[in-house]
Amino acid sequence: MLLEAMDSVQLTNPRAQFLVRSLKREQAAETFDRLTWSDPDLADQVALELTNQAGDRKAFQSLSAILASKRPEVSRHFAPHKDSLLATTSRHGAREGHALLYRSLLERFPEAVGPELLVAEVLPNEGGARVVLEQLERHPGWGEAVADRIHSRSASPTTEEWRVLSQTATPRHRDWLAAQLLRPSKPGPEFWQGLEALGRIPGGLDGLRQSLLDRLSLEPELRRLYAGDVMALGVTREGYAALLDQDFARSLADKLQSAYQGDIQKLSPADQRALLALGSVSHHRELIRPIAMQELERRHDNAALDSLVDTFRSEHQNEQMRRMGEAPEIPEKIQAAREYLRSVVHRVIPSSLEFQTRPVLERLSPQLSPEQKAQQASALLHEFVQAARASKADLSDLPRSAQEALWLAHLLGDPGVSAALQPYLSHSLSGPLQALTSEARSKEIAALKEQLAASSLEQARPLVERLLAHGEDDALELWSERLAPDHWAAQYSSDPRKRYDASSVGDQDLFREFSFRLGGEAEHEAIMRACAEFERLVGEGVPVEQARQRATMDYLIPGRTQTSQRVELTRQGVQVGSVRLKSKNRAAGPPDSSATPKISRYGSG
């Protein structure tokens, strides 16, 4: 009995154990190869020790390197242990790198291969599906048996299992596959593999297409549709190719065309999903071309929709570049350039326009003489000017074609573009107009500041006003620096804006009076309102003294002063206003009862 127990135990000598521990993965195959001819018995012991330690990471890597070598002698030393090695997944769990080990084992010991082994031991490993499919190419008759075993073992197939099922499923598996796909869970990679598997079965998707399309309702999945990592694997594309047969795709396209109202964003979420589905399959893409071509000018702020339209935009731009080079007549070349610009200028940020539209200039410019460039640019600029006049100078309804014409005139170097934009430099614009007006505005601002630096104080005001219209508030600082230290506006305040406002009041004495009566620089806005009100009243014929009094009283806004600080004024029992008590700033402490507070009138006059 003791002898039987000893026979059941495989022993290795210390030398073999030491050699396995000292093996390096990079040298393992070469070292073992030398053992096969220098010391075959030790090679047997090392093979046994590696098999026993296959669960250890270092030993596993050495074992994989040895089995992957091309030396046929290796097979003789590991043949007694092939069953144990083929069960390594069951003992140690699925690991990255097991697929390489199994590929080597199955090539060395093909007699050990069978459907059960492939499903139970090989498939659960990362990359195992590829190894299983390689074996099925050698043994095509095993396909249905492999699918049966996956079915019996998996309540919910993994991505690797779905990949094998996509090649092995038969009509017998159709209902089971359909039930897996229609489960209420988020569609992931397994869903797309299952869709491909079902699509390979004749009639596998009959009656299921609309239900499966409705499963793709999650926004994150829409954004993944054209993501590089998914499309590079072809998972989504192949899934949709299986889902959409020609008849179903045609009916879907007709429905979308009737629902389309000139803007993809107005389509229902379900119709947007259908549009993306058709766009992902190359031989169905032409069905949605009429819709996509009307979207070339837009940005959709949706990665999936933008990617879909970009497919058609690239084709369109390539076609226009070809037309610019091959068209025999100049008008056709110009039209091709404008078609190219139409798909660019309205959807990129203005600062990128020069770069994004450079291909047009590089393609078109060498084909036109200087005289032809000038003639075509002049005609394009005239088109813009006429359209701008028709838009009543606010450019809110300026046709996009006019903007394209202006940008092409700019590309061709027409010097009149800046002059044509002068009336609109202070407008809030977008697209090509914003890019061009920004450039023209920068030039004008630089010229105005240069004039301001060389002008007298009297000549500076209109220049400052034009700079302020462009939002150049530093013009006030430039103007303020020109004031003499003894100028009354300079003595009023150190703030350039307040100095400028004060100097705009024609009556210096009036301004000083209001400044004194209404609280000085701290009440600057009130002073300016009072001055403006005075000028308005005098302009209406109110006597000067009465206008001055009413302007002073009207500057206060009811509610601005606390009730405790007001004293009501009445005339013959009728309230006509109030006075606000004002005192100079003083240190904290009890009030000085001997001080007489100043008062200012408050009321509606």
Side-chain angles (χ1 to χ4, degrees):
M1 202 153 162
L2 179 61
L3 291 175
E4 290 178 1
M6 292 180 65
D7 288 341
S8 66
V9 178
Q10 292 179 308
L11 301 176
T12 54
N13 62 36
R15 187 180 174 194
Q17 293 175 355
F18 172 78
L19 190 60
V20 168
R21 287 195 299 270
S22 62
L23 274 178
K24 294 183 179 179
R25 181 183 59 179
E26 298 80 5
Q27 302 171 353
E30 182 181 352
T31 301
F32 191 83
D33 183 48
R34 286 200 300 268
L35 285 177
T36 59
W37 56 266
S38 64
D39 194 340
D41 292 337
L42 182 57
D44 286 339
Q45 293 294 317
V46 170
L48 173 60
E49 185 67 25
L50 284 170
T51 302
N52 291 338
Q53 296 186 30
D56 178 76
R57 181 178 179 182
K58 180 180 178 182
F60 175 81
Q61 292 175 340
S62 299
L63 178 64
S64 297
I66 291 170
L67 290 172
S69 67
K70 303 300 182 182
R71 294 281 294 178
E73 292 82 358
V74 172
S75 300
R76 178 174 63 82
H77 297 283
F78 284 95
H81 318 301
K82 64 179 183 297
D83 294 333
S84 177
L85 289 173
L86 286 169
T88 185
T89 301
S90 300
R91 293 188 338 204
H92 304 298
R95 284 185 181 176
E96 182 180 0
H98 272 69
L100 175 63
L101 174 69
Y102 277 114
R103 181 179 287 108
S104 303
L105 285 170
L106 297 178
E107 288 178 356
R108 289 185 180 280
F109 310 111
E111 70 281 0
V113 183
E116 180 64 35
L117 174 76
L118 293 176
V119 175
E121 303 293 344
V122 182
L123 189 54
N125 297 289
E126 182 177 342
R130 186 168 61 253
V131 179
V132 171
L133 292 175
E134 289 172 359
Q135 291 299 315
L136 290 179
E137 289 180 2
R138 298 187 178 98
H139 306 281
W142 293 356
E144 188 169 356
V146 167
D148 288 341
R149 283 168 171 76
I150 294 175
H151 180 189
S152 64
R153 292 172 63 93
S154 299
S156 179
T158 65
T159 302
E160 295 283 284
E161 290 171 335
W162 273 123
R163 184 175 176 186
V164 173
L165 283 170
S166 70
Q167 306 294 324
T168 59
T170 67
R172 279 197 308 108
H173 305 106
R174 191 249 186 197
D175 292 340
W176 173 65
L177 294 175
Q180 297 292 322
L181 296 182
L182 293 174
R183 292 168 62 186
S185 59
K186 179 180 176 180
E190 300 89 355
F191 176 86
W192 299 106
Q193 295 283 11
L195 199 58
E196 182 186 2
L198 208 63
R200 287 179 179 271
I201 298 174
L205 287 163
D206 290 350
L208 299 173
R209 285 185 165 85
Q210 191 58 55
S211 298
L212 290 170
L213 196 63
D214 291 342
R215 287 275 285 108
L216 307 176
S217 60
L218 297 177
E219 180 65 14
E221 194 59 41
L222 287 182
R223 294 188 178 277
R224 286 186 56 190
L225 181 61
Y226 276 84
D229 55 339
V230 175
M231 293 306 292
L233 297 174
V235 178
T236 308
R237 181 176 59 249
E238 292 171 5
Y240 273 131
L243 175 63
L244 305 170
D245 65 8
Q246 192 64 37
D247 293 337
F248 185 74
R250 170 60 67 183
S251 65
L252 206 56
D254 292 342
K255 174 189 172 185
L256 293 173
Q257 190 64 53
S258 62
Y260 180 68
Q261 300 177 3
D263 188 348
I264 285 180
Q265 302 283 24
K266 294 180 181 178
L267 290 175
S268 68
D271 285 343
Q272 289 187 26
R273 295 194 300 273
L275 189 75
L276 292 167
L278 287 171
S280 70
V281 184
S282 58
H283 55 272
H284 294 331
R285 195 170 292 138
E286 285 300 310
L287 296 174
I288 60 172
R289 178 177 290 276
I291 294 176
M293 293 303 290
Q294 297 181 61
E295 297 289 324
L296 298 184
E297 302 173 24
R298 293 191 177 95
R299 286 192 305 180
H300 304 93
D301 297 322
N302 179 304
L305 291 176
D306 279 327
S307 296
L308 175 61
V309 176
D310 277 344
T311 302
F312 294 90
R313 183 178 290 109
S314 296
E315 295 175 2
H316 172 76
Q317 291 177 350
N318 290 337
E319 173 62 19
Q320 302 316 311
M321 292 293 283
R322 185 192 62 79
R323 284 180 59 200
M324 275 186 271
E326 298 178 1
E329 301 294 334
I330 291 179
E332 188 176 353
K333 294 179 184 292
I334 295 295
Q335 185 59 36
R338 295 185 63 170
E339 280 294 313
Y340 186 103
L341 292 178
R342 181 174 70 88
S343 65
V344 177
V345 298
H346 305 295
R347 59 179 303 276
V348 303
I349 59 176
S351 60
S352 298
L353 276 176
E354 289 286 354
F355 173 76
Q356 296 283 357
T357 57
R358 188 182 303 163
V360 172
L361 183 62
E362 292 174 347
R363 184 69 164 172
L364 186 62
S365 184
Q367 303 181 57
L368 303 178
S369 66
E371 294 77 13
Q372 291 171 331
K373 282 184 186 178
Q375 181 182 2
Q376 295 298 325
S378 178
L380 292 164
L381 183 59
H382 179 73
E383 178 183 339
F384 166 78
V385 171
Q386 293 297 106
R389 288 173 180 169
S391 68
K392 301 178 182 179
D394 63 0
L395 304 187
S396 59
D397 58 348
L398 183 71
R400 288 193 165 193
S401 59
Q403 299 185 45
E404 297 153 16
L406 180 66
W407 189 260
L408 186 52
H410 162 70
L411 290 180
L412 293 175
D414 194 312
V417 170
S418 295
L421 288 171
Q422 283 297 317
Y424 317 109
L425 295 186
S426 61
H427 290 209
S428 177
L429 304 171
S430 60
L433 291 179
Q434 179 183 343
L436 291 173
T437 52
S438 295
E439 181 181 353
R441 187 182 298 113
S442 297
K443 292 179 179 178
E444 183 180 30
I445 289 172
L448 288 173
K449 287 184 176 180
E450 186 176 347
Q451 294 178 43
L452 180 59
S455 63
S456 64
L457 191 62
E458 293 74 18
Q459 298 169 332
R461 181 166 295 277
L463 299 175
V464 172
E465 294 295 336
R466 289 172 64 182
L467 285 168
L468 291 177
H470 290 309
E472 297 295 311
D473 290 339
D474 62 334
L476 295 171
E477 189 74 38
L478 296 173
W479 177 88
S480 183
E481 291 173 357
R482 307 181 67 77
L483 282 176
D486 58 347
H487 193 282
W488 68 276
Q491 296 176 345
Y492 165 69
S493 172
S494 61
D495 186 320
R497 165 63 72 177
K498 293 180 179 180
R499 287 181 172 186
Y500 186 76
D501 289 345
S503 69
S504 66
V505 178
D507 191 333
Q508 174 183 347
D509 294 334
L510 174 70
F511 183 88
R512 286 178 170 173
E513 178 184 347
F514 282 165
S515 176
F516 174 76
R517 296 179 66 182
L518 302 183
E521 182 184 356
E523 295 289 343
H524 178 73
E525 293 183 5
I527 297 168
M528 295 307 299
R529 284 201 305 272
C531 290
E533 179 67 6
F534 172 80
E535 293 177 359
R536 187 186 70 81
L537 292 171
V538 171
E540 292 179 355
V542 177
V544 171
E545 288 302 321
Q546 185 178 351
R548 180 181 288 106
Q549 189 69 15
R550 285 177 59 181
T552 308
M553 292 167 59
D554 286 350
Y555 92 95
L556 287 174
I557 301 173
R560 181 171 178 175
T561 308
Q562 297 179 8
T563 305
S564 61
Q565 295 176 298
R566 300 182 189 147
V567 177
E568 304 299 329
L569 300 179
T570 60
R571 181 182 299 166
Q572 296 180 351
V574 178
Q575 180 178 340
V576 295
S578 66
V579 297
R580 184 179 66 173
L581 302 179
K582 300 177 65 177
S583 60
K584 296 181 179 179
N585 292 334
R586 60 187 66 185
D592 183 358
S593 59
S594 64
T596 302
K598 295 181 180 179
I599 65 173
S600 63
R601 297 192 182 186
Y602 175 165
S604 55

